[in-house]
Amino acid sequence: MPMGENASSQIKILADTQALVEAAAEYFVTVAAQATAATGRCVIALSGGSTPKSLYALLATPTWAKRVDWSRLHLCWGDERCVPPEDAASNYHMTREALLDHVPVPSQNIHRIHGEIEPVAAASMYESELRGLFGTPEGPPLLKPDTRFDLVLLGMGANGHTASLFPGLAAVQETGRWVMAEYVAEVSMWRVTLTPPVLNAAADVIFLVSGADKASMLARVVAAPRQPDVLPAQAIAPAAGTLRWLVDTTAAADLTSEE
């Protein structure tokens, strides 16, 4: 699996989107409990998108919500559109409506990207916040507990992008900055995104991929030679962590048995 050369990597195929979401919820609960037991907190980078939205809605239900010590969680985002937080296009807005309005996460533990301000300034502000959160004022992320994300949730677009790492853009190749702002002509919008160095420092990274429209791209990302400029999802290969792909049967349709 070329994109996982430096990571412990695995693909789990679920019967349908609901089964995928339930599997993701189990990982979320398990990672939260383990990290909290080890360090007293759990730091998670959330994703936008329809499948993560279903995950957040499930976690907000009483049966699931009671399995998480929300007071110990710190919630961040992998990327954000440069829109105000009340805008329907905002990943933060979606997460707030699906999850945050329904569970007791302390306000000081919610670390959103300020998409309403100038994009480069928003990226710089967010990097400073993350460096403070992880106690790493300068240099690369550290690969040890309490100094990195315990869990990163990611999706994958039909064009192979993940977070706001889009084909051909500079953020995919970034090696120093943790956060970048770029104008994405493909969607005619500024985006702020975490970069591979901080994403690949995470203890656990989980891709959530569902739908037949993702099948051919998923097969390319998993099996093709590594070319992250073309297939940005291949840039995700945790240096000292686990990479998991949770995919439904329609998204997995083009995978071979070897994968």
Side-chain angles (χ1 to χ4, degrees), residues 143-182:
L143 304 179
K144 59 184 184 180
D146 214 30
T147 64
R148 60 179 179 165
F149 286 111
D150 297 295
L151 175 64
V152 172
L153 299 176
L154 292 172
M156 186 196 73
N159 64 352
H161 88 270
T162 189
S164 284
L165 303 174
F166 279 78
L169 296 187
V172 180
Q173 294 291 349
E174 180 62 26
T175 59
R177 286 172 289 182
W178 294 14
V179 187
M180 280 184 65
E182 286 197 280

Side-chain angles (χ1 to χ4, degrees), residues 49 71 128 136 148 185 193 225:
S71 70
S128 294
T136 310
R148 60 179 179 165
T193 187

Side-chain angles (χ1 to χ4, degrees), residues 92-232:
Y92 165 77
H93 177 86
M94 178 275 282
T95 310
R96 192 188 72 208
E97 289 198 329
L99 179 63
L100 302 179
D101 285 347
H102 311 286
V103 294
V105 181
S107 59
Q108 66 269 26
N109 290 7
I110 297 172
H111 308 276
R112 74 175 182 89
I113 299 169
H114 289 262
E116 70 274 22
I117 68 173
E118 192 278 325
V120 174
S124 177
M125 177 187 295
Y126 201 57
E127 176 158 343
S128 294
E129 183 160 357
L130 291 182
R131 286 183 174 280
L133 184 63
F134 292 133
T136 310
E138 59 184 20
L142 303 177
L143 304 179
K144 59 184 184 180
D146 214 30
T147 64
R148 60 179 179 165
F149 286 111
D150 297 295
L151 175 64
V152 172
L153 299 176
L154 292 172
M156 186 196 73
N159 64 352
H161 88 270
T162 189
S164 284
L165 303 174
F166 279 78
L169 296 187
V172 180
Q173 294 291 349
E174 180 62 26
T175 59
R177 286 172 289 182
W178 294 14
V179 187
M180 280 184 65
E182 286 197 280
Y183 183 77
V184 184
E186 188 173 335
V187 293
S188 302
M189 180 180 285
W190 278 89
R191 299 282 188 96
V192 174
T193 187
L194 300 187
T195 61
V198 72
L199 292 170
N200 286 332
D204 273 279
V205 178
I206 300 179
F207 275 91
L208 308 178
V209 185
S210 63
D213 61 320
K214 307 290 180 64
S216 62
M217 181 53 68
L218 177 62
R220 286 181 65 194
V221 167
V222 167
R226 190 176 185 277
Q227 45 182 348
D229 276 333
V230 178
L231 305 171

